Amino acid sequence: MIRTIVGANWGDEGKGKVTDLLAASSDVVVRFQGGANAGHTIINEYGKFALHLLPSGVFHQNVVNVIGPGVALNIEALLSELESLTARGVPKPQLVISDRCQVMMPYHIDFDKFEEERLGKSAFGSTKSGIAPFYSDKFAKVGIQVCQLYDRELLRQRLEIALVKKNCLLEHLYHKPPVDIDGLIAHLTDLAEKIRPMVCDTTMLLHRANREGKTILLEGQLGSLRDPDHGIYPYTTSSSPLAGFGCVGAGVSPRDMTDIVCVTKAYSSAVGAGPFVVRLDGPEGDELRRRGGDAGEFGATTGRARDVGWFDAVATRYGVMVQGATEIVLTNLDVLGYLDEIPVCVAYELDGERITDFPATPLLSRCKPVYTKLPGWKCDIRGVRSFDELPDACKAYVAFIEEQCGAPIRIVSNGPKRDEVLYR
Ligand code: GDP
């Protein structure tokens, strides 16, 4: 059985909590794309954690956590994240790294920073963790795979090829010092030794686990609208956060993917640049931002204030569709308990016409939200233990979102903690 957890929107939907929850009934949890550029917030018996690169199964001793070949592996970030867990009393997790995974280089991070600086006002809102330069190199075939770190001669040859162009750009475009290849090789060799016991052929491991009937959980980062093909290009990320890509980035067969669990919040939030039709400015937005999430809507990796707005059913319906969701998990429902009426964006107005299909990026900046208002429930639903005990208006809100999104909502989250979930 292979379950995939992905985001329906712009990221930060609460996937970390859902993955942590479902990890308890999984044997293997796999990261299949992205890198240390986004964060999952997990609150459990050990405390509050922001995981960036580690799979969310690391709090469960019986779970094998896998960094799949599709991930941008920042070895130093991974090691320091591991250390920060054990320093806080979490037992050392089972973790394996694909030998085909590619390595985030220090120069990828530098190039990300230098390029955002160069672009100035037209910058993409990158988290400057090297993701775009990393994936550019991967597809230009000048990336370095983990397995290549253990062959010094091969590593030198590969780096020599890559560095000709890098150093030319560093010197002439960014006016920075060139990369010293000997220093870089020494640094990479040192890191390679530290992860050596964890490196293996994870593709074989996953296929074997699947044949043995184990439960595998693929964990996506970000969400549908950050997909380079189907999202709000160019305000996207550089690897696909779609469940379909999960098969590729993890290394499992699409035939075996049984459940696609799409996570969305009961309102909308987005961080970084790019169009966001339901953005709320002013005091209404400030209040929602302050009340959102577990401690306000601020990025888990960057601390940046997230844009917030009412539930965008146009974007979410599209996000759920491109993920191919078999079910939806609705998170942060408790946050809306202060409202008399809750607006939901059911359509966009584009040049005087009402549209319900999410359009291509250039049209989004001309779209205005069309809202329907639903009655609020005016009470705190944290602490409610079963779906049936929720106020009627709250249940009606969930049913409305389900109808708008076109996939069943089976799990509702009514607080940031692991046990704050209601099964419908
Ligand atoms: P991810 O990247 O999709 O894992 O999402 P993040 O962890 O970045 O953001 C989700 C935020 O919502 C975090 O602050 C979570 O602690 C918080 N959260 C998740 N579920 C709930 C919920 O049901 N209620 C509340 N109030 N906060 C939640």
Side-chain angles (χ1 to χ4, degrees), residues 3-7 14-16 18-20 22-23 32 217-221 241 243 259-263 323 329:
R3 297 186 286 193
T4 303
I5 298 182
V6 281
K15 296 174 298 293
V18 179
T19 312
D20 180 52
L22 298 186
F32 63 85
L217 191 63
L218 307 190
E219 174 179 17
Q221 177 219 38
D259 301 303
I260 299 170
V261 180
C262 207
V263 185
Q323 291 288 11
V329 177

Side-chain angles (χ1 to χ4, degrees), residues 296-315:
E297 288 291 351
F298 300 94
T301 300
T302 56
R304 289 187 287 192
R306 293 172 184 152
D307 285 324
V308 292
W310 307 123
F311 188 82
D312 186 339
V314 180

Side-chain angles (χ1 to χ4, degrees), residues 31 36 112 138 250 304 318 353 364 418:
R31 276 286 306 269
D112 205 352
K138 176 170 179 169
R304 289 187 287 192
Y318 173 78
E353 220 179 291
L364 283 169
R418 188 189 272 171

Side-chain angles (χ1 to χ4, degrees), residues 122-154:
S122 331
F124 294 113
S126 162
T127 58
K128 304 191 184 85
S129 359
I131 299 297
F134 169 93
Y135 283 106
S136 308
D137 277 4
K138 176 170 179 169
F139 293 106
K141 294 170 287 189
V142 289
I144 307 287
Q145 289 186 310
V146 167
C147 53
Q148 296 175 331
L149 295 177
Y150 300 102
D151 180 337
R152 252 185 188 248
E153 211 162 302
L154 177 65

Side-chain angles (χ1 to χ4, degrees), residues 12-16 39-41 293-294 306 332 334-335 413-416:
D12 310 321
E13 296 92 348
K15 296 174 298 293
H40 294 311
T41 313
D294 69 292
R306 293 172 184 152
N332 283 269
D334 53 301
V335 171
S413 169
N414 64 332

Side-chain angles (χ1 to χ4, degrees), residues 8-9 13-15 17-18 261-268 311 316 320 327-334 336 377 381 387 390 394-402 405 407-415 420-422 424:
N9 307 98
E13 296 92 348
K15 296 174 298 293
K17 171 182 162 161
V18 179
V261 180
C262 207
V263 185
T264 188
K265 270 183 184 149
Y267 52 91
S268 292
F311 188 82
T316 311
V320 164
E327 69 176 282
I328 294 173
V329 177
L330 188 66
T331 68
N332 283 269
L333 188 60
D334 53 301
L336 301 179
W377 45 92
I381 58 162
F387 187 82
L390 286 174
C394 187
K395 284 190 252 184
Y397 185 80
V398 175
F400 186 78
I401 300 289
E402 177 180 79
C405 293
I409 298 178
R410 301 224 174 88
I411 301 179
V412 167
S413 169
N414 64 332
E420 290 178 303
V421 283
L422 308 171
R424 185 156 169 250

